[in-house]
Structures are given as C-alpha cells and as structure tokens.
Amino acid sequence: MVEGEEIRIGVYVCHCGVNIAAVVDVKKVAEELSKVPNVVVAKDYQFMCSQPGQNIIVEDIKEHKLNRVVVAACSPRMHEPTFQRAVERGGLNPYLFEMANIREHCSWVHEKEKSAATEKAIKIVKAAVAKARLLKPLKVEKVKVIPRALVIGGGIAGIRASLDIANAGFEVHLVETRPSIGGNMARLDKTFPTLDCSQCILTPLMVEASRHPNITLHTYTDVVSIDGSVGNFKVKLLKKPRYVNEAKCTGCGVCVTKCPWTVPSEFDLGLGKRKAIYFEFPQAVPLIPVIDPEHCMYFQKGTCRACEKFCPPKAINFDQKPEEIELEVGAIILATGYGLYDVAKNMPEYGYRKYKDVITGLELERLVSATGPTKGHILRPSDGKEPKKVAIILCVGSRDEKHLRFCCRFGCVAGLKHAYYIVSHIPDAEVYICYRDIRTFGKGYEEFYERIRSYENVKFIRGSPMEILQDADGSLYFDVFDANTNRVVTLRPDLIVLETGIVPHPTFKEVAKVLKCSVGPDGFALELHPKLRPTETSVDGVFLAGAVQGPKDIPDTVAQAGAAASSAIALMSRGYVETIPYVSSINEDLCSGCGICQPLCAFDAISLVKKEDGKQVAKVDISKCKGCGVCVAACPSGAAQQLGFDDEQISAMVRTLTG
C-alpha cells in the first residue's frame, strides 16, 4: 500500500448457513454498508469461510483494487486467520483486514429480535469499517526455535509424549516430581475393558524412556521457574537429594532390607508400609532408592546409618544437597495428570478415613496388585478378613453441584472392573453397585458392562447412598433408595469402595502459575480451543497431554499425548516461529520512564532501559509480548500503544457505535 493512497474497502457479510441469516437480514446489511464512504464493494455469501467465499475476496481485491477488507461473520478467534490468508493471497498485507462478529455478538443473542438484530449488525460492521480506514500494514518477526523439548509429568501421558518426540529425533527432558516415573497407572492392577496387566503395558515404556538416547530423565525433581517464550524457554529445575549416589547405586535393595524403620507407603496410599530408605515400587524407574529424611533416624537423631553400613557399592551419601539444573528448550508439554477428590474432607457422610473398611477404587487397586500391601489378596483393612459382601458406590463427588460438577469419565467402568476383581478373587462374594446411571462411552466398554451385568452375584442399585453408619459391633450399613424398584434398600457390606471424582494433580497449580497458562473454572488447564486446538494453551509453545486438561481414560490420554507430541515436533521441525503482530509499541518521545507498565506485564515482556542521552524509557520484548493491552491501558502518557488496536482506531469505532 502506498501512503496517501485512496482507501478502498470491500465488505463481505456471511450467512454462516442459517446461524446469522436466520436472524439478521444479511442482504440489508450489505446494502447499507455499500453506502458507507470508502466502501467500494459490499456482498453477502452463504459461507464466506469456504473456498468459493474466500475466492470472492481474492478476486475482488484484484478487480476493485481494494486495500482494506472487512468480513462480518463469526468470532475472530474462529476464522480471522482464514480470512487473513485470503487477503494475503489477494496481494494485501494480511493485517489490512478487520473482522466484525455478528454471530456471537448479534444473531445468537438476539434470536427473537430480528429487526433490532439487523440494525445492530449494521452498526457493528460500520464500526469495523471505521477502524479499517485507519489500519496500517503490520509485520511479523521470525524467532529461532531450540530443537529440544521439556515434558513435565512422568505418567503414561508424559512417557508417551517423550517417546514420540525422542523417536522423531529431538532431545527431550522428562521431569517427574516423584522418585519414579509411572504416575497413577503404575498403581493399577489391570486396565479396562480388556483387563490387561497394567504393569505389563506400562513398565516396558518406562524402561524404553529411561534408555532412549534422546531422553534425559529428571526424577525427584521440581520445576522452579520458566522464563522466555515459544521457541526459547529458559527452565530452572530443582533436583531433590535422594542421599544415594545414582552413579554408584546398583539397585540391589540391601539398604532397604537392612533399614529398621517403617512408615506408611505413599504409593500404597497408606495401606502398606515402606522403609525410611525405599524404592517407590518394585518396578520403579530409575531403580534407585530414596532416603526419607523426615523418618530416617540419622537425620532425626544422628544414629543408625544401617543403610550406609551395608550398602555394597558404598552409594549412600548423607551429605547430598539439592541440585539446581538449568535448561533451554523450544517447546513444553504439560502432563501432570490428576489427583483424587478429597472425600474425607469434603464428604464426611461417606465415612472415608473414619471407617477403615471404606476405601477408594485406587486403594482397591493396590489391594488387588501382586506387589501391593496384601500381595494381591482382597482383605478388609480393619481385620484382614476376606469381605463377602462389597458395596461399590459410583460418582462420589462427581456430577454433584456441591462438589465436582463434571464427570470423571472413567469411574463407571472402573467400578465395573472392581466388581470383576472381587468376584474373580472371592467367587462367593456378593457385590452391590450403587449408581445414578452407567456411562460406558469407550470402545469395548458397553460389552464389558454387559459381561459384568451377566454375573449373578453382581447386583445393580440405581440410587445414591445416604450416610454410611457403623453399628456397635463395628459393622457398616447404609440406606439407598433404589429408583428401579421404588423402595429403600438397607445394605450391610463388609467393605465399601468409593469411585471418587478427580481433580488436577496438586503440582499443577504451581506449574500453571510459573507458566502463566490459563486455568478453567474446574481447575484443569484450559485448552486454546476445545474442538480445534485441544492440545494448545494460551502460552505459545506449551502443549497439554492427558488429564492435566480434564478427566480422561487411558486410551484418550495416550491419544492426546501423541497429539501434543506432534504439535511440539511440528514446532521444532519448522525451526522458527513468527511473533504476533499485535504487540505493544512504545513511543519513546512520549515515554516518561515511570515504569508503571513493567510490573503489570504478566509476561515479563517490558523492561526499562536508558538511552544514550540518559533518558529512561520502557522497551517491549516482542518475542514475549502477547498483545494483552494491559500496559496500554495503564500508560498515563499514551506512550504505549497496541499495534492494530491503537487509540485512534478504537476511538473511531466508539464514535461510530455511539454516533
């Protein structure tokens, strides 16, 4: 575009099928806009985002010598890039384009006010034209991408994503806060609906990740800080001391055997014991023990040192200190997984933690596991006897407006699997499944439901239990209204299994804070778009894998991990990223160097620098700036302006809307 050139605007009004046209008179909008100064051509079309629709724009730019384009359609978040590419194909700078949202802002919210909606649409499009007159060409910069990825979380999602990236030839750093990778899946005995051995599926992947030449494992390590932006992240990790020299340790386990001190095992969820020096579980990767200083007698009282005395390779090192590790990576994958809803605190009516024989589904998994606290035998925690009558309660905390409004997506089928565990281990046991409805959406899940339903000793009761109580003899009982038989049933089970809701893993909150990525109202990471960009976040270069985004079963988790890995691979393969054009810009002549903008920037994109004449001014790092506009709103002198949204452009829109 040549400065001083006549402004020639093309306006295109989309029907969006009937989403807009059923409410807004799109032909009238186009007709009214054709009368606006500088508008050379105004048309309507059924689907402007379609190939024919885009071609209309491209051809009109050439035929009518347009130098601005306005499309009135849906949200810019949906199709702004689509139309910018069309404008670019027509030979214009893609940022000489403006989009007017007459769907979400008009037709969808004024469905029963067609005439008023049409008038509103005309105003919205006229405001867009007013801004379009003042648009200036913008440019993007290219920034190199470091061909290295960071994966936070060593569960099945993190392992799968790491292997996919490593197999594509890129270096990966896999960080896990626990002593071993494996995540929650390592606690499971079997996976539904095929009842495969969970460890048999998972542990080969764990070993493959640990031995892959492109993967560096950082277990027992936390993420401390992350700076930088897409393509160039600077990461600080803090490796916690194991008090064991990893280079010397052979994983023989003599130290664990000789340790005389025992405490409840976190991996077995308190149902079993571990030593003060321990492997997290027998198949742990890496197979290096950890000393728990809170329960080690040497750290508490300066005595014992039995592990050091008997360690054959002399690997015990009580002087080990936390180690800080600095990395530079181009892409980050969040795979921190999930935790269980705190039923003991939030739902005391279920008696969890109050009564020993009320356990969670994950705790039942540990009882059934051959490596669990009861060596694979289902025994009551209170007396170690086999339960003959078991109640499984679904949706504990899930789909409950007082607790978690969302479905955990695997609790129903997990409950069916747990019924299978009980009747296969104790054939004469009776199982009662209390449910609201059974959701079996996955492949093979309905068939699995039919299989469990065919067992004579598995009964289904449609209803939520009332308070769980205990008799004087210690036995548990509760009432439940069965909606199928329209009567109240009193159950006296020997063991009660709660299929609890899930929440984001406790470590996610801090990681999200460090990364400044968006979090949804449910506490899980918020994807950039639920349908079109489900693995991306509001932070460019940071991708989501697995239950960090929301509840998922294992197949969905693995699928999303592969998708996140593909996104990271695509980013690193291209070798560069383009900065966004709508960044903040500082007019140094107006800037007083007051520094108000600097602490307000959530992306650390603003610094204060001194010019050669000694004047202090603000400076924007465009690789970090996200164009949020906070600094622009705060700047008292008007020195900060957001490109593509400057004061003059916004004022022109406001005058049009209010005039």
Side-chain angles (χ1 to χ4, degrees), residues 276-319:
I277 181 169
Y278 65 102
F279 298 109
E280 191 173 23
F281 52 97
Q283 301 84 9
V285 173
L287 195 61
I288 306 291
V290 178
I291 292 179
D292 173 4
E294 289 187 9
H295 298 95
C296 171
M297 283 303 105
Y298 172 73
F299 282 101
Q300 295 300 315
K301 297 183 177 178
T303 59
C304 190
R305 301 181 79 127
C307 53
E308 183 185 46
K309 179 180 178 182
F310 291 100
C311 176
K314 305 300 179 188
I316 304 299
N317 179 7
F318 290 111
D319 296 325

Side-chain angles (χ1 to χ4, degrees), residues 20-300:
I20 295 173
V23 178
V24 173
D25 184 344
V26 291
K27 293 193 177 297
K28 183 177 179 181
V29 175
E31 181 184 344
E32 289 298 317
L33 265 294
S34 67
K35 303 172 186 173
V36 175
N38 299 113
V39 174
V40 178
V41 57
K43 297 179 178 178
D44 65 278
Y45 189 72
Q46 192 171 19
F47 290 106
M48 285 306 305
C49 58
S50 67
Q51 189 66 34
Q54 294 180 49
N55 288 341
I56 291 172
I57 296 173
V58 174
E59 291 164 6
D60 280 357
I61 290 173
K62 296 172 181 174
E63 181 182 347
H64 298 284
K65 301 187 185 313
L66 304 179
N67 50 30
R68 304 285 193 285
V69 171
V70 173
V71 172
C74 54
S75 164
R77 189 173 180 178
M78 178 73 79
H79 277 311
E80 186 178 55
T82 304
F83 295 120
Q84 285 175 332
R85 287 192 291 271
V87 169
E88 192 170 26
R89 287 206 308 276
L92 293 181
N93 180 289
Y95 304 102
L96 294 173
F97 165 80
E98 183 62 21
M99 195 161 180
N101 185 351
I102 60 169
R103 191 179 72 175
E104 285 86 343
H105 290 177
C106 191
S107 66
W108 280 4
V109 291
H110 300 295
E111 190 177 357
K112 297 179 180 177
E113 306 168 279
K114 295 185 179 182
S115 177
T118 300
E119 294 305 314
K120 180 178 177 179
I122 291 170
K123 277 200 167 187
I124 291 173
V125 185
K126 283 183 175 178
V129 170
K131 182 186 174 188
R133 291 194 190 97
L134 302 170
L135 290 176
K136 297 170 185 171
L138 301 178
K139 63 178 182 179
V140 296
E141 303 286 345
K142 290 185 177 178
V143 178
K144 285 188 177 179
V145 173
I146 297 171
R148 187 181 304 122
L150 172 73
V151 177
I152 304 174
I156 181 62
I159 293 171
R160 183 68 270 167
S162 297
L163 286 171
D164 287 354
I165 296 171
N167 288 335
F170 294 99
E171 187 181 345
V172 183
H173 289 267
L174 174 55
V175 180
E176 168 58 49
T177 188
R178 287 164 48 181
S180 169
I181 58 173
N184 280 321
M185 189 175 171
R187 289 188 167 114
L188 306 183
D189 182 61
K190 290 180 171 58
T191 60
F192 54 74
T194 51
L195 300 177
D196 295 303
C197 166
S198 181
Q199 292 284 352
C200 301
I201 297 172
L202 181 63
T203 50
L205 294 179
M206 293 165 61
V207 174
E208 185 181 349
S210 70
R211 293 180 177 174
H212 201 294
N214 288 342
I215 297 178
T216 303
L217 282 186
H218 300 277
T219 52
Y220 214 40
T221 300
D222 293 325
V223 177
V224 176
S225 67
I226 299 176
D227 294 318
S229 57
V230 55
N232 296 274
F233 292 106
K234 292 180 174 58
V235 183
K236 280 187 182 178
L237 307 177
L238 188 66
K239 184 178 178 63
K240 293 169 279 192
R242 288 176 181 262
Y243 303 106
V244 175
N245 187 322
E246 296 184 27
K248 290 183 178 179
C249 180
T250 61
C252 66
V254 171
C255 56
V256 178
T257 306
K258 296 298 182 182
C259 177
W261 313 105
T262 59
V263 294
S265 165
E266 296 86 353
F267 186 77
D268 285 333
L269 304 164
L271 293 174
K273 299 285 187 181
R274 64 163 172 82
K275 297 293 184 66
I277 181 169
Y278 65 102
F279 298 109
E280 191 173 23
F281 52 97
Q283 301 84 9
V285 173
L287 195 61
I288 306 291
V290 178
I291 292 179
D292 173 4
E294 289 187 9
H295 298 95
C296 171
M297 283 303 105
Y298 172 73
F299 282 101
Q300 295 300 315

